[in-house]
Amino acid sequence: MDESFIYERLKALSSGVERSEYRDISKAFQEIIRYNRGALQELEENLRRELKDVSERFYLYGAVAPVGDASIVNDFLFPMLPEEEAAADRIATVFCQCSRAEMAELFEGSQELVVETEDGTFEITATLRPCRRFQKKIEELQNVFYDNGVYWRTPYLPYVDRFGDVTSDTFQPQTPIRSIRFRERDIPVSLDLIPLWNVEPISLKCTIFPVPAIDEWNYRHTLRLPFVQDGYVVRMEQAIRHVYMSQAGLEIISEEKVQREFSLYRIAVRRDINIPHYPLTSNFRRMRHIDRQADNALFRPRTRAEIARIVTSYEAGESLELLQIEEGGCGPIGGDAGLYHYSPMGREKFLLLFRARRDGFLLEDQVYFLVQEVQNYYPQFMITGRLEPKTP
């Protein structure tokens, strides 16, 4: 029954007494209808809130862009190091478009390079070193996640590992470098590129006067967030005790009772923008109904189907096909269980065999990421992977 039916029924009644009695009865039904509508809307809102993956605010995205083009996408992606300073111990920072294994070879020993400057072309012997300053930024963010109690997923930022610092003891260019290439390797090398990610350091000040916290010792600082749909983590200090989200914004429990600025990291959710040159990478995971049920289960099944479900739930595995899961096998691409890595006697082994659906120089990184995720779900196993050659 709805309101239109009630009005139509009233029009059909001819007797005034009947109309009066029916009107009194219909008022009660109208109240029931309004209550049911409100209860249904509240239920739908609660379901949307429950089904929404809170961790979607903390997925990490990565890309590469020229230094001059970084500001074009600064509403979503930001330079990992906003102010890259020149260092006397390196000639240049290069980006190599090659596989993970090839990049590891470049970091070993010396390399024969051809450097073109405004003064001419030179053949030099140089060393390529990993850019640890980019990895340190990821480690710093990981520590902030831990301090805020936010679940840290394995980051998939493979472009960071393709940057290398060129150093040489015998060559110091006097003019700007135009290009660098390998003399005996067919690997594309780019200059003036920087890694991007969706993490922005910001500072916010408590605009509301701090109020005493529930413990009557600390004070609650409320920060109004500029983008409520994004994720935020606070760089913890000794005076900060606790951080949590509320309807008003980000609540910080601190010993300080005066208004002050807090240092935060904003993790921007994905925007619909065009990424030039290289595709966008992410550790985004599709939260289907079956994935949510598996995460909430007390016991995770140890089956091939469950491993395949984990692999197919990540966006990074779209260009890969899981061919087979071999028991007792061991491949060249291994997972890393971090500080809690252990290999007890008789530990089972699983080998994940992948095949590429399309070509790309990040395929090994994708396999490594998926193997790492499966390893995190099953720490009692030793998970390794192998990339099978693409069939013609």
Side-chain angles (χ1 to χ4, degrees), residues 60-74:
L60 297 181
Y61 294 84
V64 177
V67 177
D69 296 343
S71 59
I72 298 177
V73 291
N74 62 2

Side-chain angles (χ1 to χ4, degrees), residues 18 31 37 99 106 117 124 132 154 179 210 244 252 267:
E18 290 181 353
E31 293 299 328
R37 286 179 177 175
S99 66
L106 295 179
T117 68
I124 66 171
R132 285 294 304 164
T154 304
S179 66
Y244 65 94
I252 299 179
I267 296 87

Side-chain angles (χ1 to χ4, degrees), residues 285-302:
R285 181 190 177 202
R286 305 178 188 87
M287 288 303 294
R288 301 164 294 190
H289 177 71
I290 188 174
D291 300 319
R292 197 178 306 277
Q293 294 297 322
D295 289 347
N296 295 332
L298 297 178
F299 176 77
R300 186 174 297 277
R302 289 178 285 184

Side-chain angles (χ1 to χ4, degrees), residues 124-245:
I124 66 171
T125 300
T127 303
L128 203 63
R129 300 181 307 183
C131 295
R132 285 294 304 164
R133 57 189 179 277
F134 298 141
Q135 280 83 1
K136 288 182 179 179
K137 295 297 293 184
I138 300 176
E139 295 172 0
E140 178 183 340
L141 181 65
Q142 181 180 7
N143 293 329
V144 176
F145 269 54
Y146 287 157
D147 293 339
N148 284 254
V150 178
Y151 180 72
W152 173 259
R153 294 187 180 276
T154 304
Y156 179 56
L157 301 169
Y159 294 130
V160 174
D161 300 326
R162 298 305 188 276
F163 284 88
D165 292 330
V166 181
T167 62
S168 177
D169 298 331
T170 59
F171 176 76
Q172 291 295 330
Q174 303 300 321
T175 57
I177 297 177
R178 294 179 176 176
S179 66
I180 296 178
R181 69 177 187 273
F182 292 97
R183 192 170 66 179
E184 299 178 354
R185 293 177 181 265
D186 187 18
I187 297 178
V189 179
S190 301
L191 293 171
D192 297 328
L193 292 181
I194 55 174
L196 307 177
W197 62 350
N198 61 323
V199 179
E200 179 189 20
I202 62 174
S203 295
L204 293 179
K205 185 177 182 179
C206 178
T207 58
I208 304 176
F209 191 79
V211 298
I214 193 173
D215 59 3
E216 299 182 356
W217 177 262
N218 296 294
Y219 291 85
R220 178 164 56 90
H221 301 254
T222 303
L223 302 182
R224 299 289 179 84
L225 303 177
F227 301 94
V228 295
Q229 73 275 15
D230 295 338
Y232 294 86
V233 289
V234 183
R235 300 181 65 175
M236 303 294 284
E237 303 171 359
Q238 187 176 3
I240 298 177
R241 299 305 182 188
H242 186 53
V243 177
Y244 65 94
M245 291 290 297

